[in-house]
Structures are given as structure tokens and as C-alpha cells.
Coordinates of all heavy atoms in Angstrom, one line a residue:
M1 N 4.7 -6.5 -27.0 CA 5.5 -5.4 -26.4 C 4.6 -4.2 -26.1 O 4.7 -3.6 -25.1 CB 6.6 -5.0 -27.3 CG 7.6 -6.0 -27.6 SD 8.5 -6.5 -26.1 CE 9.9 -5.4 -26.2
G2 N 3.6 -4.0 -27.0 CA 2.7 -2.8 -26.8 C 1.7 -3.1 -25.7 O 1.0 -2.2 -25.3
E3 N 1.7 -4.3 -25.2 CA 0.7 -4.7 -24.2 C 0.8 -3.8 -22.9 O -0.1 -3.4 -22.3 CB 1.0 -6.2 -23.8 CG -0.3 -6.9 -23.6 CD 0.0 -8.4 -23.4 OE1 0.2 -9.1 -24.4 OE2 0.1 -8.9 -22.3
S4 N 2.1 -3.6 -22.5 CA 2.3 -2.8 -21.3 C 1.7 -1.4 -21.4 O 1.3 -0.8 -20.4 CB 3.8 -2.7 -20.9 OG 4.5 -2.0 -21.9
L5 N 1.6 -0.9 -22.6 CA 1.0 0.5 -22.7 C -0.5 0.4 -22.5 O -1.1 1.5 -22.1 CB 1.2 1.0 -24.1 CG 2.7 1.2 -24.5 CD1 2.8 1.6 -26.0 CD2 3.3 2.3 -23.6
M6 N -1.1 -0.7 -22.6 CA -2.5 -0.8 -22.4 C -2.9 -1.1 -20.9 O -4.0 -0.8 -20.5 CB -3.1 -2.0 -23.2 CG -2.8 -1.9 -24.7 SD -3.7 -0.4 -25.4 CE -5.4 -1.0 -25.3
T7 N -2.0 -1.5 -20.1 CA -2.3 -1.8 -18.8 C -2.3 -0.6 -17.9 O -1.5 0.4 -18.2 CB -1.4 -2.9 -18.2 OG1 0.0 -2.4 -18.3 CG2 -1.5 -4.2 -18.9
T8 N -3.1 -0.5 -16.9 CA -3.1 0.6 -16.0 C -1.9 0.4 -15.0 O -1.7 -0.7 -14.5 CB -4.4 0.6 -15.2 OG1 -5.5 0.6 -16.1 CG2 -4.5 1.9 -14.3
A9 N -1.3 1.5 -14.7 CA -0.2 1.4 -13.7 C -0.7 0.8 -12.4 O -1.7 1.2 -11.9 CB 0.4 2.8 -13.5
K10 N 0.1 -0.1 -11.9 CA -0.3 -0.7 -10.6 C 0.9 -0.7 -9.7 O 2.0 -0.8 -10.1 CB -0.7 -2.2 -10.9 CG -1.1 -3.0 -9.7 CD -1.6 -4.4 -10.0 CE -0.4 -5.3 -10.4 NZ -0.8 -6.7 -10.6
T11 N 0.6 -0.4 -8.4 CA 1.6 -0.4 -7.4 C 1.2 -1.4 -6.3 O 0.0 -1.4 -5.9 CB 1.8 1.0 -6.8 OG1 2.1 1.9 -7.9 CG2 3.0 1.0 -5.8
T12 N 2.1 -2.1 -5.8 CA 1.8 -3.0 -4.7 C 2.4 -2.5 -3.4 O 3.6 -2.2 -3.3 CB 2.4 -4.4 -5.0 OG1 1.8 -4.9 -6.3 CG2 2.0 -5.4 -3.9
H13 N 1.5 -2.3 -2.4 CA 2.0 -1.8 -1.1 C 1.8 -2.9 -0.1 O 1.1 -3.8 -0.3 CB 1.2 -0.6 -0.7 CG 1.4 0.6 -1.6 ND1 2.4 1.5 -1.6 CD2 0.6 1.0 -2.7 CE1 2.3 2.4 -2.5 NE2 1.2 2.2 -3.2
I14 N 2.5 -2.7 1.1 CA 2.3 -3.6 2.2 C 1.6 -2.9 3.3 O 2.0 -1.9 3.8 CB 3.7 -4.0 2.7 CG1 4.6 -4.6 1.6 CG2 3.6 -5.0 3.9 CD1 6.0 -5.0 2.0
A15 N 0.4 -3.4 3.6 CA -0.4 -2.8 4.6 C 0.2 -2.8 6.0 O 0.8 -3.8 6.4 CB -1.8 -3.5 4.7
G16 N 0.2 -1.6 6.6 CA 0.6 -1.5 8.0 C -0.6 -1.7 8.9 O -1.7 -1.9 8.5
E17 N -0.3 -1.5 10.2 CA -1.5 -1.6 11.2 C -2.3 -0.3 10.9 O -1.8 0.7 10.7 CB -1.0 -1.5 12.6 CG -0.2 -2.8 13.1 CD -1.2 -3.9 13.3 OE1 -2.4 -3.7 13.3 OE2 -0.7 -5.0 13.5
H18 N -3.6 -0.5 10.9 CA -4.5 0.6 10.8 C -4.7 1.2 12.2 O -4.6 0.5 13.2 CB -5.9 0.3 10.2 CG -6.8 -0.5 11.1 ND1 -6.7 -1.8 11.4 CD2 -7.8 0.0 11.9 CE1 -7.6 -2.2 12.2 NE2 -8.3 -1.1 12.6
I19 N -5.0 2.5 12.2 CA -5.2 3.2 13.5 C -6.5 3.9 13.4 O -7.0 4.4 12.3 CB -4.1 4.2 13.9 CG1 -3.9 5.2 12.9 CG2 -2.8 3.4 14.2 CD1 -3.1 6.4 13.3
T20 N -7.2 4.1 14.6 CA -8.4 4.9 14.6 C -8.2 5.9 15.7 O -7.8 5.5 16.9 CB -9.7 4.0 15.0 OG1 -9.8 3.0 14.0 CG2 -10.9 4.8 14.9
I21 N -8.5 7.1 15.5 CA -8.3 8.2 16.5 C -9.6 8.8 16.8 O -10.4 9.1 16.0 CB -7.3 9.3 15.9 CG1 -6.0 8.7 15.6 CG2 -7.3 10.4 16.8 CD1 -5.0 9.6 15.0
E22 N -9.8 8.9 18.1 CA -11.1 9.4 18.7 C -12.3 8.7 18.1 O -13.4 9.3 18.0 CB -11.1 10.9 18.4 CG -10.0 11.7 19.1 CD -10.1 13.2 18.9 OE1 -10.9 13.6 18.0 OE2 -9.4 14.0 19.6
G23 N -12.2 7.4 17.8 CA -13.2 6.7 17.3 C -13.8 7.1 16.0 O -14.9 6.7 15.6
R24 N -13.1 8.0 15.3 CA -13.7 8.6 14.2 C -12.7 8.5 12.9 O -13.2 8.2 11.8 CB -13.9 10.1 14.4 CG -14.5 10.8 13.2 CD -14.9 12.2 13.6 NE -15.4 12.9 12.4 CZ -15.8 14.2 12.3 NH1 -15.8 14.9 13.4 NH2 -16.2 14.7 11.2
W25 N -11.5 8.9 13.1 CA -10.6 8.9 11.9 C -9.8 7.6 11.8 O -9.1 7.2 12.7 CB -9.6 10.1 12.1 CG -10.2 11.4 12.5 CD1 -10.3 11.9 13.7 CD2 -10.9 12.2 11.6 NE1 -11.0 13.1 13.6 CE2 -11.4 13.3 12.4 CE3 -11.2 12.2 10.2 CZ2 -12.1 14.4 11.8 CZ3 -11.9 13.2 9.7 CH2 -12.4 14.3 10.5
L26 N -10.0 7.0 10.7 CA -9.4 5.7 10.5 C -8.4 5.9 9.3 O -8.7 6.4 8.3 CB -10.4 4.6 10.2 CG -9.8 3.2 10.0 CD1 -10.9 2.2 10.3 CD2 -9.2 2.9 8.6
R27 N -7.2 5.4 9.6 CA -6.2 5.5 8.5 C -5.3 4.3 8.5 O -5.0 3.8 9.6 CB -5.3 6.8 8.7 CG -4.3 7.0 7.6 CD -3.6 8.3 7.7 NE -4.5 9.4 7.1 CZ -4.1 10.6 6.8 NH1 -2.8 10.9 7.1 NH2 -4.9 11.5 6.3
Q28 N -5.0 3.8 7.3 CA -4.0 2.7 7.2 C -3.0 3.1 6.1 O -3.4 3.4 5.0 CB -4.8 1.4 6.8 CG -3.9 0.2 6.8 CD -4.7 -1.1 6.7 OE1 -5.8 -1.1 6.2 NE2 -4.1 -2.2 7.3
R29 N -1.8 3.0 6.4 CA -0.7 3.3 5.4 C 0.1 2.1 5.0 O 0.1 1.1 5.7 CB 0.2 4.3 6.1 CG -0.3 5.7 6.2 CD 0.7 6.6 6.9 NE 0.3 8.0 6.9 CZ 0.7 8.9 6.0 NH1 1.5 8.5 5.0 NH2 0.3 10.1 6.0
C30 N 0.8 2.3 3.9 CA 1.8 1.3 3.6 C 2.9 1.3 4.6 O 3.5 2.3 4.9 CB 2.3 1.6 2.2 SG 3.7 0.5 1.7
S31 N 3.3 0.1 5.1 CA 4.4 0.0 6.0 C 5.7 0.4 5.4 O 6.6 0.8 6.1 CB 4.5 -1.5 6.5 OG 3.6 -1.8 7.4
W32 N 5.8 0.3 4.1 CA 7.1 0.5 3.5 C 7.3 1.9 3.1 O 8.3 2.6 3.5 CB 7.3 -0.4 2.3 CG 8.7 -0.4 1.8 CD1 9.2 0.3 0.8 CD2 9.8 -1.2 2.3 NE1 10.5 0.1 0.6 CE2 10.9 -0.9 1.6 CE3 9.9 -2.1 3.4 CZ2 12.1 -1.4 1.9 CZ3 11.1 -2.7 3.6 CH2 12.2 -2.3 2.9
C33 N 6.4 2.5 2.4 CA 6.6 3.8 1.8 C 5.7 4.9 2.4 O 5.9 6.1 2.2 CB 6.4 3.8 0.3 SG 4.7 3.7 -0.2
G34 N 4.7 4.5 3.2 CA 3.9 5.5 3.8 C 2.7 5.9 3.0 O 1.8 6.7 3.5
Y35 N 2.5 5.3 1.9 CA 1.3 5.6 1.0 C 0.0 5.4 1.8 O -0.1 4.4 2.5 CB 1.3 4.7 -0.2 CG 0.1 4.9 -1.1 CD1 0.2 5.9 -2.1 CD2 -1.0 4.1 -1.0 CE1 -0.9 6.1 -3.0 CE2 -2.1 4.3 -1.8 CZ -2.1 5.3 -2.8 OH -3.1 5.4 -3.6
V36 N -0.9 6.3 1.7 CA -2.2 6.2 2.5 C -3.1 5.2 1.7 O -3.6 5.5 0.6 CB -2.9 7.5 2.7 CG1 -4.2 7.3 3.4 CG2 -2.0 8.5 3.5
I37 N -3.3 4.1 2.2 CA -4.1 3.0 1.6 C -5.6 3.3 1.9 O -6.5 3.2 1.0 CB -3.7 1.6 2.1 CG1 -2.3 1.4 1.6 CG2 -4.7 0.6 1.5 CD1 -1.7 0.1 2.2
L38 N -5.9 3.5 3.2 CA -7.3 3.8 3.6 C -7.3 5.1 4.4 O -6.3 5.3 5.2 CB -7.8 2.7 4.5 CG -8.0 1.3 3.9 CD1 -8.4 0.3 4.9 CD2 -8.9 1.3 2.7
D39 N -8.3 5.9 4.3 CA -8.4 7.1 5.0 C -9.9 7.5 5.1 O -10.5 7.9 4.2 CB -7.7 8.2 4.3 CG -7.5 9.5 5.1 OD1 -7.6 9.4 6.3 OD2 -7.3 10.6 4.5
Y40 N -10.4 7.2 6.3 CA -11.9 7.4 6.5 C -12.2 8.4 7.6 O -11.5 8.4 8.6 CB -12.5 6.1 6.9 CG -12.6 5.0 5.8 CD1 -11.9 3.9 5.9 CD2 -13.5 5.2 4.8 CE1 -12.0 2.9 4.9 CE2 -13.6 4.2 3.8 CZ -12.9 3.1 3.9 OH -13.0 2.1 2.9
D41 N -13.2 9.1 7.4 CA -13.9 9.8 8.5 C -15.1 8.9 8.8 O -16.1 8.9 8.0 CB -14.3 11.2 8.1 CG -15.2 12.0 9.2 OD1 -15.6 11.3 10.1 OD2 -15.4 13.2 9.0
L42 N -15.1 8.2 9.9 CA -16.1 7.2 10.1 C -17.5 7.8 10.4 O -18.5 7.1 10.3 CB -15.7 6.3 11.4 CG -14.4 5.5 11.1 CD1 -14.0 4.7 12.4 CD2 -14.5 4.6 9.9
S43 N -17.5 9.1 10.7 CA -18.8 9.7 10.9 C -19.5 9.9 9.6 O -20.7 10.2 9.6 CB -18.6 11.1 11.6 OG -18.0 12.0 10.7
L44 N -18.8 9.8 8.5 CA -19.4 9.9 7.2 C -19.5 8.6 6.5 O -20.0 8.5 5.3 CB -18.6 10.9 6.3 CG -18.3 12.3 6.9 CD1 -17.4 13.0 6.0 CD2 -19.6 13.0 7.1
T45 N -19.2 7.5 7.2 CA -19.1 6.2 6.5 C -20.2 5.3 7.0 O -20.3 5.0 8.2 CB -17.8 5.5 6.8 OG1 -16.7 6.4 6.4 CG2 -17.6 4.2 6.0
A46 N -21.1 5.0 6.2 CA -22.2 4.1 6.5 C -21.7 2.6 6.6 O -20.8 2.2 5.9 CB -23.3 4.1 5.5
S47 N -22.2 1.9 7.6 CA -21.8 0.5 7.8 C -23.0 -0.3 8.1 O -23.8 0.0 9.1 CB -20.8 0.5 8.9 OG -20.5 -0.9 9.2
N48 N -23.3 -1.4 7.4 CA -24.4 -2.2 7.6 C -24.3 -3.0 8.9 O -25.3 -3.2 9.6 CB -24.6 -3.2 6.5 CG -25.0 -2.5 5.2 OD1 -25.6 -1.4 5.2 ND2 -24.7 -3.1 4.1
D49 N -23.1 -3.4 9.3 CA -23.0 -4.3 10.4 C -22.4 -3.6 11.7 O -22.2 -4.2 12.7 CB -22.1 -5.5 10.1 CG -20.8 -5.1 9.6 OD1 -20.4 -3.9 9.6 OD2 -20.0 -5.9 9.1
G50 N -22.2 -2.3 11.5 CA -21.7 -1.6 12.7 C -20.2 -1.8 13.0 O -19.7 -1.3 13.9
K51 N -19.5 -2.6 12.2 CA -18.1 -2.9 12.4 C -17.2 -1.9 11.7 O -16.0 -1.9 11.9 CB -17.8 -4.3 11.9 CG -18.5 -5.4 12.7 CD -18.1 -6.8 12.1 CE -18.8 -7.9 12.9 NZ -18.7 -9.2 12.2
G52 N -17.7 -1.0 10.9 CA -16.9 -0.1 10.2 C -16.4 -0.7 8.9 O -16.7 -1.8 8.5
P53 N -15.6 0.0 8.1 CA -15.1 -0.4 6.8 C -14.1 -1.5 6.9 O -13.4 -1.7 8.0 CB -14.5 0.9 6.2 CG -14.1 1.7 7.4 CD -15.1 1.4 8.5
H54 N -13.9 -2.2 5.9 CA -12.8 -3.2 5.8 C -11.5 -2.6 5.9 O -11.2 -1.6 5.3 CB -13.0 -4.0 4.4 CG -11.8 -4.8 4.1 ND1 -11.7 -6.1 4.6 CD2 -10.7 -4.6 3.4 CE1 -10.5 -6.6 4.2 NE2 -9.9 -5.7 3.5
V55 N -10.6 -3.2 6.7 CA -9.2 -2.8 6.7 C -8.4 -4.0 6.4 O -8.8 -5.2 6.5 CB -8.8 -2.3 8.1 CG1 -9.6 -1.0 8.5 CG2 -9.0 -3.4 9.2
W56 N -7.2 -3.8 5.9 CA -6.3 -4.9 5.5 C -5.5 -5.4 6.7 O -5.1 -4.6 7.6 CB -5.3 -4.3 4.4 CG -6.0 -3.9 3.2 CD1 -6.3 -2.6 2.9 CD2 -6.5 -4.7 2.2 NE1 -7.0 -2.6 1.7 CE2 -7.1 -3.8 1.2 CE3 -6.4 -6.1 1.9 CZ2 -7.6 -4.3 0.0 CZ3 -7.0 -6.5 0.7 CH2 -7.6 -5.7 -0.2
T57 N -5.3 -6.7 6.7 CA -4.5 -7.3 7.7 C -3.1 -6.8 7.6 O -2.6 -6.7 6.4 CB -4.5 -8.8 7.6 OG1 -5.8 -9.3 7.7 CG2 -3.7 -9.5 8.7
A58 N -2.4 -6.4 8.7 CA -1.1 -5.9 8.6 C -0.2 -6.9 7.9 O -0.2 -8.1 8.2 CB -0.6 -5.5 10.0
G59 N 0.6 -6.4 7.0 CA 1.5 -7.3 6.2 C 0.9 -7.8 4.9 O 1.6 -8.4 4.1
S60 N -0.4 -7.5 4.7 CA -1.0 -7.8 3.4 C -0.4 -7.1 2.3 O -0.1 -5.9 2.4 CB -2.5 -7.6 3.4 OG -3.2 -8.3 4.3
L61 N -0.2 -7.8 1.1 CA 0.3 -7.1 -0.1 C -1.0 -6.6 -0.7 O -1.9 -7.3 -1.0 CB 1.0 -8.0 -1.0 CG 2.3 -8.6 -0.4 CD1 2.9 -9.6 -1.4 CD2 3.3 -7.5 -0.1
V62 N -1.1 -5.3 -1.0 CA -2.2 -4.7 -1.6 C -1.9 -4.0 -2.9 O -1.1 -3.1 -3.0 CB -2.8 -3.6 -0.6 CG1 -4.2 -3.1 -1.2 CG2 -3.1 -4.2 0.8
D63 N -2.5 -4.5 -4.0 CA -2.4 -3.9 -5.3 C -3.3 -2.7 -5.4 O -4.5 -2.8 -5.1 CB -2.8 -4.9 -6.4 CG -1.7 -5.9 -6.7 OD1 -0.5 -5.6 -6.3 OD2 -2.0 -6.9 -7.3
I64 N -2.8 -1.6 -5.9 CA -3.6 -0.4 -6.1 C -3.3 0.1 -7.5 O -2.2 0.3 -7.9 CB -3.3 0.7 -5.1 CG1 -3.6 0.1 -3.6 CG2 -4.1 1.9 -5.3 CD1 -3.2 1.1 -2.5
S65 N -4.4 0.1 -8.3 CA -4.3 0.6 -9.6 C -5.5 1.4 -10.1 O -6.6 1.3 -9.5 CB -4.1 -0.6 -10.6 OG -5.2 -1.4 -10.5
G66 N -5.3 2.3 -11.0 CA -6.4 3.0 -11.6 C -6.7 4.3 -10.8 O -6.2 4.5 -9.7
V67 N -7.5 5.1 -11.5 CA -7.9 6.4 -10.9 C -8.9 6.1 -9.7 O -8.7 6.7 -8.7 CB -8.6 7.2 -12.0 CG1 -9.2 8.5 -11.3 CG2 -7.7 7.6 -13.1
N68 N -9.8 5.2 -9.9 CA -10.6 4.7 -8.9 C -9.9 3.4 -8.4 O -10.1 2.3 -9.1 CB -12.0 4.4 -9.3 CG -12.7 5.7 -9.7 OD1 -12.7 6.7 -8.9 ND2 -13.4 5.8 -10.8
P69 N -9.1 3.4 -7.4 CA -8.2 2.3 -7.1 C -8.9 1.0 -7.0 O -10.0 0.9 -6.4 CB -7.6 2.7 -5.8 CG -7.7 4.2 -5.7 CD -9.0 4.5 -6.4
I70 N -8.3 -0.1 -7.6 CA -8.8 -1.4 -7.3 C -7.8 -2.1 -6.4 O -6.6 -2.1 -6.6 CB -8.8 -2.2 -8.7 CG1 -9.7 -1.6 -9.7 CG2 -9.1 -3.7 -8.4 CD1 -9.6 -2.1 -11.1
Y71 N -8.4 -2.6 -5.3 CA -7.6 -3.2 -4.2 C -7.7 -4.7 -4.3 O -8.8 -5.2 -4.5 CB -8.0 -2.8 -2.9 CG -8.0 -1.3 -2.6 CD1 -9.0 -0.4 -3.0 CD2 -6.9 -0.7 -1.9 CE1 -8.9 0.9 -2.8 CE2 -6.8 0.7 -1.7 CZ -7.9 1.5 -2.1 OH -7.8 2.8 -1.9
S72 N -6.6 -5.4 -4.3 CA -6.6 -6.8 -4.2 C -5.5 -7.3 -3.4 O -4.3 -6.7 -3.4 CB -6.6 -7.4 -5.6 OG -5.4 -7.0 -6.3
A73 N -5.7 -8.3 -2.7 CA -4.7 -8.9 -1.8 C -4.0 -10.0 -2.5 O -4.5 -10.8 -3.2 CB -5.4 -9.4 -0.5
L74 N -2.7 -10.0 -2.3 CA -1.9 -11.1 -2.9 C -1.6 -12.1 -1.7 O -1.6 -11.8 -0.6 CB -0.5 -10.6 -3.4 CG -0.6 -9.5 -4.5 CD1 0.8 -9.1 -4.9 CD2 -1.4 -10.1 -5.7
N75 N -1.2 -13.3 -2.1 CA -0.9 -14.4 -1.1 C 0.4 -14.0 -0.4 O 1.3 -13.5 -1.0 CB -0.8 -15.7 -1.7 CG -2.1 -16.2 -2.3 OD1 -3.2 -15.9 -1.7 ND2 -2.1 -17.0 -3.4
Q76 N 0.4 -14.3 0.9 CA 1.6 -13.9 1.7 C 2.8 -14.6 1.2 O 3.9 -14.1 1.3 CB 1.4 -14.3 3.2 CG 0.5 -13.3 3.9 CD 1.2 -12.0 4.1 OE1 2.5 -11.9 4.0 NE2 0.5 -10.9 4.5
D77 N 2.7 -15.8 0.7 CA 3.9 -16.6 0.3 C 4.4 -16.2 -1.1 O 5.4 -16.8 -1.5 CB 3.6 -18.1 0.4 CG 2.4 -18.5 -0.5 OD1 1.8 -17.6 -1.1 OD2 2.1 -19.7 -0.5
E78 N 3.8 -15.3 -1.8 CA 4.3 -14.9 -3.0 C 5.4 -13.9 -2.8 O 5.5 -13.2 -1.9 CB 3.2 -14.1 -3.8 CG 2.1 -15.0 -4.4 CD 1.1 -14.3 -5.2 OE1 1.5 -13.4 -5.9 OE2 -0.1 -14.6 -5.1
S79 N 6.4 -14.0 -3.7 CA 7.5 -13.1 -3.6 C 7.0 -11.7 -4.1 O 6.0 -11.6 -4.7 CB 8.7 -13.5 -4.5 OG 8.2 -13.6 -5.9
L80 N 7.7 -10.7 -3.6 CA 7.3 -9.3 -4.0 C 7.3 -9.2 -5.5 O 8.3 -9.5 -6.2 CB 8.2 -8.3 -3.3 CG 8.1 -8.2 -1.8 CD1 9.2 -7.4 -1.2 CD2 6.8 -7.6 -1.4
P81 N 6.2 -8.6 -6.0 CA 6.1 -8.4 -7.5 C 6.9 -7.2 -7.9 O 7.4 -6.4 -7.1 CB 4.6 -8.2 -7.7 CG 4.2 -7.5 -6.4 CD 5.0 -8.2 -5.3
D82 N 7.1 -7.1 -9.3 CA 7.8 -6.0 -9.8 C 7.1 -4.6 -9.5 O 7.8 -3.6 -9.6 CB 7.9 -6.1 -11.4 CG 8.8 -7.3 -11.7 OD1 9.6 -7.7 -10.9 OD2 8.7 -7.7 -12.9
T83 N 5.9 -4.7 -9.2 CA 5.1 -3.5 -8.9 C 5.2 -3.0 -7.5 O 4.6 -2.0 -7.1 CB 3.6 -3.7 -9.2 OG1 3.2 -4.9 -8.6 CG2 3.4 -3.9 -10.7
F84 N 6.0 -3.8 -6.7 CA 6.2 -3.4 -5.3 C 6.7 -2.0 -5.2 O 7.6 -1.6 -5.9 CB 7.2 -4.4 -4.6 CG 7.6 -4.0 -3.2 CD1 6.7 -3.7 -2.3 CD2 9.0 -3.9 -2.9 CE1 7.1 -3.3 -1.0 CE2 9.4 -3.5 -1.6 CZ 8.4 -3.2 -0.7
C85 N 6.1 -1.2 -4.3 CA 6.4 0.3 -4.2 C 7.9 0.5 -3.9 O 8.5 1.6 -4.2 CB 5.6 1.0 -3.2 SG 5.7 0.3 -1.5
G86 N 8.6 -0.5 -3.3 CA 10.0 -0.3 -2.9 C 10.9 -1.0 -3.9 O 12.1 -1.2 -3.6
A87 N 10.4 -1.4 -5.0 CA 11.1 -2.3 -6.0 C 12.4 -1.6 -6.5 O 13.4 -2.2 -6.9 CB 10.3 -2.7 -7.1
S88 N 12.3 -0.2 -6.6 CA 13.5 0.5 -7.1 C 14.6 0.7 -6.1 O 15.7 1.1 -6.4 CB 13.0 1.9 -7.6 OG 12.5 2.7 -6.6
E89 N 14.3 0.3 -4.8 CA 15.3 0.4 -3.8 C 16.2 -0.8 -3.8 O 15.8 -1.9 -4.2 CB 14.6 0.6 -2.4 CG 13.8 1.8 -2.3 CD 13.1 1.9 -1.0 OE1 13.6 1.4 0.0 OE2 11.9 2.4 -0.9
T90 N 17.4 -0.6 -3.3 CA 18.3 -1.8 -3.1 C 18.2 -2.1 -1.7 O 18.6 -1.3 -0.8 CB 19.7 -1.4 -3.6 OG1 19.7 -1.0 -4.9 CG2 20.6 -2.6 -3.5
F91 N 17.8 -3.3 -1.4 CA 17.6 -3.7 0.0 C 19.0 -3.8 0.7 O 19.9 -4.3 0.2 CB 16.9 -5.0 0.1 CG 15.5 -4.9 -0.3 CD1 15.1 -5.3 -1.6 CD2 14.5 -4.4 0.5 CE1 13.8 -5.2 -2.0 CE2 13.2 -4.3 0.1 CZ 12.9 -4.7 -1.2
G92 N 19.0 -3.2 1.9 CA 20.2 -3.3 2.7 C 21.3 -2.4 2.3 O 22.4 -2.4 2.8
A93 N 21.1 -1.6 1.3 CA 22.2 -0.8 0.7 C 22.3 0.5 1.6 O 21.4 1.0 2.1 CB 21.9 -0.4 -0.7
S94 N 23.5 1.0 1.6 CA 23.7 2.3 2.3 C 23.3 3.4 1.3 O 23.1 3.1 0.2 CB 25.2 2.5 2.7 OG 25.9 2.6 1.5
P95 N 23.1 4.6 1.8 CA 22.6 5.7 1.0 C 23.5 6.0 -0.2 O 23.1 6.5 -1.2 CB 22.5 6.9 1.9 CG 22.3 6.3 3.2 CD 23.1 5.0 3.2
T96 N 24.8 5.7 -0.1 CA 25.7 5.9 -1.2 C 25.8 4.7 -2.0 O 25.7 3.6 -1.5 CB 27.1 6.3 -0.7 OG1 27.5 5.4 0.3 CG2 27.0 7.7 0.0
T97 N 26.1 4.8 -3.3 CA 26.2 3.6 -4.1 C 27.6 3.1 -4.0 O 28.6 3.8 -3.5 CB 26.0 3.9 -5.6 OG1 27.0 4.8 -6.0 CG2 24.6 4.6 -5.8
S98 N 27.8 1.9 -4.4 CA 29.1 1.3 -4.3 C 30.1 2.0 -5.1 O 31.3 2.1 -4.8 CB 29.1 -0.2 -4.6 OG 28.6 -0.4 -5.9
E99 N 29.7 2.5 -6.3 CA 30.6 3.3 -7.2 C 31.1 4.5 -6.4 O 32.3 4.8 -6.5 CB 29.8 3.8 -8.4 CG 30.0 2.9 -9.6 CD 29.3 3.4 -10.8 OE1 29.5 4.5 -11.2 OE2 28.4 2.7 -11.3
E100 N 30.3 5.2 -5.7 CA 30.7 6.4 -5.0 C 31.7 6.0 -3.9 O 32.6 6.7 -3.6 CB 29.5 7.1 -4.4 CG 28.6 7.8 -5.4 CD 27.3 8.3 -4.9 OE1 26.8 7.7 -3.9 OE2 26.8 9.3 -5.4
C101 N 31.5 4.9 -3.3 CA 32.4 4.4 -2.2 C 33.8 4.1 -2.7 O 34.7 4.3 -2.0 CB 31.8 3.2 -1.5 SG 30.4 3.5 -0.5
N102 N 33.8 3.7 -4.0 CA 35.2 3.3 -4.5 C 36.0 4.4 -5.0 O 37.1 4.3 -5.3 CB 35.0 2.3 -5.7 CG 34.4 1.0 -5.1 OD1 34.6 0.6 -4.0 ND2 33.7 0.2 -6.0
Q103 N 35.4 5.6 -5.0 CA 36.2 6.8 -5.6 C 37.1 7.4 -4.5 O 36.8 7.3 -3.3 CB 35.2 7.8 -6.1 CG 34.5 7.4 -7.4 CD 33.5 8.4 -7.9 OE1 33.2 9.3 -7.2 NE2 32.9 8.1 -9.1
Ligands
ZN1 ZN1 4.1 1.4 -0.4

């Protein structure tokens, strides 16, 4: 039971399409919650192959944990984990709860 206290909080986001503006500013956000997954000023980013930094394929599940985030991709066919950033939401629900509707 105390095990969970030892683990670093982890959140799983869904990568959206990355965009590059003016060939310089690269940003990639979570498609679901808008969390900024990648944010680069390419003029300050060294690249060995000239292709720029790694970006996630849109739709990838990306785990982010720790102060210095650790990124890891999950398999597409896995169900959404408990750490999914939208896990506390009820899918397809209206903004009001059913309890409120019944009053
Ligand atoms: Zn997210």
C-alpha cells in the first residue's frame, strides 16, 4: 500500500499534431487537455542530423513524470491507463451531473 507513495506522479497525455511557426517555434500539445508536451525555440536547439528534435506521432500516448520529465510512448492498442490526463472526466457526459438533472 505504501508503494504508491514512493512512485513519482505520472500523467499520460495524447500527443496532438506538432506545429512549427516561422521555421523556428515548435510546439506540440496534448490533444485532450492542451498540456504542452514539447516547446522548442529551434534557433537554440542543436541537431546532429538537421531534422530538428524528436516529435511524437499524433495520437501517441505519452507518459510524463518527474521534475525532469521522462517521456515514454505506450502502444496504441493499450487501453487508456489510470494516469490518463482525462481520467477524471466522464466521457460523453453533459456538464451537469445526473443527480443535478433529477432534481
Ligand atoms: Zn493531456
Side-chain angles (χ1 to χ4, degrees):
M1 296 296 268
E3 219 172 279
S4 62
L5 296 173
M6 300 297 291
T7 58
T8 307
K10 180 175 77 174
T11 306
T12 303
H13 297 279
I14 302 175
E17 291 287 350
H18 75 278
I19 58 166
T20 306
I21 296 176
E22 296 181 348
R24 177 172 178 182
W25 310 102
L26 185 155
R27 183 171 281 192
Q28 185 167 31
R29 287 178 170 268
C30 171
S31 283
W32 192 263
C33 73
Y35 178 87
V36 176
I37 298 172
L38 298 177
D39 191 19
Y40 288 111
D41 176 348
L42 298 177
S43 70
L44 303 175
T45 306
S47 169
N48 291 333
D49 57 9
K51 292 178 183 172
H54 168 83
V55 297
W56 298 98
T57 302
S60 296
L61 298 176
V62 184
D63 281 342
I64 299 177
S65 59
V67 176
N68 296 312
I70 298 168
Y71 300 83
S72 57
L74 302 179
N75 293 329
Q76 281 292 342
D77 57 356
E78 289 184 35
S79 59
L80 288 170
D82 292 340
T83 52
F84 172 52
C85 62
S88 63
E89 299 176 34
T90 304
F91 293 99
S94 65
T96 55
T97 67
S98 57
E99 263 180 60
E100 288 168 334
C101 288
N102 291 336
Q103 287 175 355

